[in-house]
């Protein structure tokens, strides 16, 4: 489970392991670049979390 | 005198209303244009010749009886092939939906029909409106991408194969192809136009888009399709003003906020061109001020990508389990990556989104519109990509209305454009400023294509 202490490489490792379990090793390897890219996005979010009272946006009804 | 296929929506509407142009002649002119160009440009998934001619005859008879529905009466339009069209195939350019024929119209399509528009057919989208490149060709140079995902809609409008089209935008899918093809692309506020009956990429990001050759035409289409729809949980009850009437409401030069942070991500030619455009606007009376992005562009791009991937995976999950082999490589990888993102991270991205939106909305209280280059470069010479939507994503992420206008040509002869961003539900103001910029810049681009509509039968 990724946390704010996780490095980008650890997050990527998590995603690749989950991909291997769900889609098989061959497929996980095929999408590795996409998973590395996604790990970068998740790392960005983990390191820029909003104030704890901030609610999600979803359909912008506010 | 212009051939019928060359007319804008407003020009054709005036002639139809005055009985100087028959909707049947207009449709026939566009069908001949399609015969001439479709083999090269590959705009259409479905061209409904008989249905369009039938509808044109009905609109013609109505005019003869004194029934005129408004400025879309008898106007043919192209519809991106992710919008449901009753009785007409809606494939999303995917093998998964290859034989899907909806039993009802998307709300936006139904509203166009009610306004008198003629559905000419369904235009090419990238597969499920994501990232796999389309067969459609850029009419300015076939070696360059036409952009996507509303590829057929943008190219068809640029090539005068129809005067207006519907597209959609989840990242930059209306405004980016509009810029690459030298036309006007308009994305309303999220919730302004119903998404009902539009195959989703990402429910909380998807917005119906409009592609035309003028700002006035975009206002005409928006007036027809905007408004509350009980079938769309995100549709707003905000009243719909007279957008066409709003075009002339600017009494002084607008106040324009320059988002310089995005300028820095553009190539040198685009940056220089945008500075020249800004100088021209200032000389014509605009006031400009620098507006800093309150959050890093990278954070916005990251939160946007997580939301898009997870919602895309959620929509496709059932189909994907059965038909993964039918998906093209980029959307397949996107869905798979989306399936792996922890739910907590998705919600964090949505929380960031609310924070970013609130802060960006604050910027828009100081100015009439924000301005950025439309794209970081002209259409890339790379047919494996549809280009970079980075200049559209912050505003799509926040649900703000945006418009792209053509502003000139690059040294290599490809269209360049500017993008204006308005406050939520301030489409009238945004269109008024865009109309002012359009008149000030006086740039109308036409790709190097044969001028004819093809031989008459």
């Amino acid at each position: 489970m990724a946390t704010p202490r996780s490095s980008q490489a650890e997050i990527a490792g998590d995603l690749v392991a989950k991909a291997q379990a769900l889609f098989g090793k061959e497929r996980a390897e095929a999408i590795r670049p996409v998973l590395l890219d996604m790990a970068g996005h998740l790392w960005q979010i983990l390191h820029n979390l909003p104030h704890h009272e901030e609610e999600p946006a979803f359909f912008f009804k506010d | 005198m212009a051939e019928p296929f060359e007319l804008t929506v407003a020009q054709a509407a005036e002639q139809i209303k005055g009985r100087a142009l028959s909707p049947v002649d207009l449709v026939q002119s566009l069908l001949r244009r399609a015969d001439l160009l479709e083999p090269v440009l590959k705009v259409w998934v479905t061209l409904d010749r008989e249905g369009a001619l039938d509808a044109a005859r009905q609109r013609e008879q109505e005019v003869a009886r004194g029934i005129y529905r408004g400025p879309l009466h008898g106007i043919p339009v192209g519809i991106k092939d992710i919008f449901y069209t009753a009785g007409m195939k809606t494939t999303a350019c995917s093998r998964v939906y290859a034989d899907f024929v909806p039993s009802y119209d998307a709300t936006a399509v139904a509203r166009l029909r009610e306004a008198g528009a003629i559905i000419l057919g369904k235009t090419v989208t990238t597969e499920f409106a994501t990232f796999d490149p389309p067969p459609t060709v850029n009419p300015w140079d076939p070696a360059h991408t036409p952009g996507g995902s509303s590829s057929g809609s943008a190219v068809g409008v640029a090539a005068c194969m129809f005067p207006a089209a519907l597209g959609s935008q989840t990242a930059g899918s209306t405004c980016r192809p509009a810029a690459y093809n030298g036309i006007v692309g308009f994305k309303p506020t999220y919730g302004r136009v119903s998404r009902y009956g539009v195959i989703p990429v990402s429910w909380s990001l998807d917005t119906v888009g409009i592609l035309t050759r003028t700002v006035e035409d975009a206002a005409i289409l928006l007036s027809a399709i905007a408004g509350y729809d009980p079938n769309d949980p995100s549709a707003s009850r905000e009243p719909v003003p007279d957008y066409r009437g709003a075009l002339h409401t600017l009494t002084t030069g607008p106040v324009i906020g320059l988002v310089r942070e995005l300028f820095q991500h553009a190539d040198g030619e685009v940056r220089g061109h945008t500075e020249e455009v800004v100088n021209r606007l200032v000389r014509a009376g605009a006031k400009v001020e620098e507006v800093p992005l309150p959050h890093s562009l990278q954070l916005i791009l990251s939160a946007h990508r997580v939301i898009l991937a997870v919602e895309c995976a959620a929509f496709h999950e059932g189909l994907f389990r059965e038909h993964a082999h039918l998906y093209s490589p980029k959307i397949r990888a996107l869905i798979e990556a989306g399936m792996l993102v922890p739910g907590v991270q998705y919600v964090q991205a949505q929380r960031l989104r609310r924070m970013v939106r609130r802060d960006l909305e604050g910027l828009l209280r100081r100015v009439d519109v924000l301005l950025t280059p439309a794209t970081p470069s002209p259409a890339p010479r790379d047919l494996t990509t549809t280009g970079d939507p980075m200049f559209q994503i912050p505003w799509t992420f926040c649900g703000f209305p945006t418009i792209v206008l053509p502003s000139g040509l690059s040294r290599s002869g490809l269209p360049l454009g500017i993008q204006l961003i308005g406050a939520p539900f301030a489409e009238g103001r945004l269109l008024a400023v865009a109309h002012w910029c359009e008149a000030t810049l006086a740039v109308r681009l036409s790709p190097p294509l044969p001028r004819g509509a093809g031989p008459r039968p």
Side-chain angles (χ1 to χ4, degrees):
Chain A
M1 173 74 180
T3 72
R5 288 188 194 156
S6 303
S7 69
Q8 201 166 314
E10 287 169 331
I11 298 170
D14 273 359
L15 290 178
V16 171
K18 280 204 276 183
Q20 288 174 346
L22 256 180
F23 312 126
K25 277 192 175 177
E26 194 181 330
R27 188 68 200 145
E29 216 36 57
I31 62 170
R32 180 181 283 273
V34 176
L35 299 181
L36 297 183
D37 189 51
M38 183 58 79
H41 296 313
L42 296 175
W43 186 90
Q44 273 288 335
I45 291 171
L46 281 164
H47 285 262
N48 292 279
L49 292 176
H51 187 272
H52 72 280
E53 289 178 357
E54 191 73 69
E55 293 201 12
F58 298 121
F59 285 167
F60 289 136
K61 284 293 189 185
D62 50 329
Chain B
M1 180 155 165
E3 292 279 337
F5 71 85
E6 295 175 299
L7 298 172
T8 65
V9 172
Q11 289 168 340
E14 194 178 327
Q15 292 192 20
I16 289 170
K17 188 179 182 185
R19 301 195 198 183
L21 175 66
S22 147
V24 175
D25 289 344
L26 177 55
V27 167
Q28 285 175 335
S29 175
L30 292 166
L31 291 177
R32 289 199 301 277
R33 184 77 173 158
D35 291 338
L36 183 71
L37 296 178
E38 176 60 16
V40 177
L41 296 181
K42 298 180 176 63
V43 160
W44 291 114
V45 179
T46 303
L47 176 54
D48 185 16
R49 291 172 183 274
E50 288 312 313
L53 283 168
D54 281 349
R57 284 189 277 271
Q58 288 171 28
R59 297 293 86 77
E60 186 178 64
Q61 287 161 11
E62 286 174 353
V63 173
R65 295 202 308 270
I67 301 167
Y68 181 70
R69 302 189 193 201
L72 287 175
H73 189 116
I75 303 295
V77 295
I79 305 291
K80 185 177 184 177
D81 203 26
I82 59 169
F83 287 75
Y84 280 24
T85 39
M88 193 189 299
K89 265 204 306 192
T90 298
T91 72
C93 289
S94 157
R95 289 189 288 166
V96 180
Y97 271 55
D99 301 314
F100 175 57
V101 180
S103 60
Y104 62 92
D105 281 332
T107 297
V109 173
R111 288 181 177 173
L112 286 178
R113 286 195 211 269
E114 284 161 20
I118 294 166
I119 308 306
L120 204 49
K122 306 299 287 292
T123 60
V124 170
T125 170
T126 61
E127 184 171 323
F128 284 117
T130 57
F131 307 116
D132 294 283
T136 308
V137 169
N138 188 318
W140 290 86
D141 186 336
H144 292 252
T145 176
S149 60
S150 307
S151 319
S153 288
V155 171
V157 169
C160 292
M161 293 169 72
F162 33 85
L166 291 186
S168 67
Q169 183 156 307
T170 309
S173 286
T174 293
C175 290
R176 183 168 86 267
Y180 288 167
N181 290 282
I183 59 169
V184 171
F186 180 68
K187 184 201 86 72
T189 308
Y190 180 85
R192 177 72 296 178
V193 176
S194 170
R195 295 176 294 106
Y196 180 64
V198 183
I199 298 171
V201 180
S202 164
W203 299 282
S204 75
L205 292 165
D206 294 344
T207 316
V208 169
I210 293 168
L211 297 117
T212 55
R213 292 194 288 274
T214 68
V215 174
E216 181 181 25
D217 286 0
I220 290 170
L221 264 80
L222 181 63
S223 293
I225 64 177
Y228 178 68
D229 176 9
N231 290 317
D232 176 355
S234 64
S236 170
R237 291 180 183 272
E238 196 76 23
V240 178
D242 172 10
Y243 294 114
R244 196 180 185 187
L247 293 176
H248 302 282
T249 54
L250 216 57
T251 51
T252 59
V255 180
I256 297 174
L258 301 182
V259 189
R260 290 258 183 228
E261 186 174 339
L262 296 190
F263 284 48
Q264 305 313 315
H265 293 276
D267 70 25
E269 184 179 17
V270 167
R271 228 172 25 243
H273 170 79
T274 310
E275 297 289 358
E276 280 173 30
V277 167
V278 169
N279 289 338
R280 287 186 64 188
L281 298 177
V282 168
R283 286 198 295 275
K287 295 182 180 64
V288 297
E289 63 175 86
E290 309 258 337
V291 173
L293 270 184
H295 300 280
S296 88
L297 178 62
Q298 185 52 56
L299 176 63
I300 294 170
L301 298 179
S302 289
H304 172 271
R305 176 50 67 99
V306 166
I307 292 167
L308 187 155
V310 171
E311 293 189 11
C312 185
F315 173 72
H316 286 279
E317 189 178 22
L319 288 167
F320 192 76
R321 286 191 200 289
E322 299 290 318
H323 305 293
H325 62 289
L326 295 180
Y327 285 78
S328 291
K330 290 188 181 183
I331 186 170
R332 182 173 180 178
L334 177 72
I335 291 168
E336 288 168 334
M339 286 176 169
L340 303 175
V341 172
V344 172
Q345 295 280 53
Y346 167 77
V347 176
Q348 302 293 29
Q350 288 283 18
R351 293 174 68 224
L352 281 167
R353 186 179 182 193
R354 190 157 185 258
M355 176 184 76
V356 170
R357 183 182 201 244
R358 186 178 53 243
D359 294 345
L360 286 180
E361 205 171 343
L363 299 182
L364 279 156
R365 290 196 195 99
R366 293 164 34 189
V367 296
D368 289 312
V369 297
L370 302 175
L371 184 148
T372 74
T375 51
S377 70
R381 188 183 172 85
D382 179 357
L383 299 180
T384 67
T385 174
T386 55
D388 193 336
M390 120 184 1
F391 289 177
Q392 278 75 52
I393 283 175
W395 327 110
T396 312
F397 183 66
C398 294
F400 294 169
T402 61
I403 190 164
V404 156
L405 312 176
S407 56
L409 288 176
S410 69
R411 283 189 292 274
S412 56
L414 294 167
L416 298 171
I418 56 167
Q419 175 175 244
L420 304 174
I421 301 104
F425 298 104
E427 279 87 355
R429 191 73 176 163
L430 176 62
L431 287 162
V433 175
H435 190 60
W436 182 88
C437 292
E438 182 184 52
T440 300
L441 299 174
V443 173
R444 179 77 73 82
L445 302 178
S446 296
L449 293 168
R451 194 171 166 271
R456 287 177 190 273

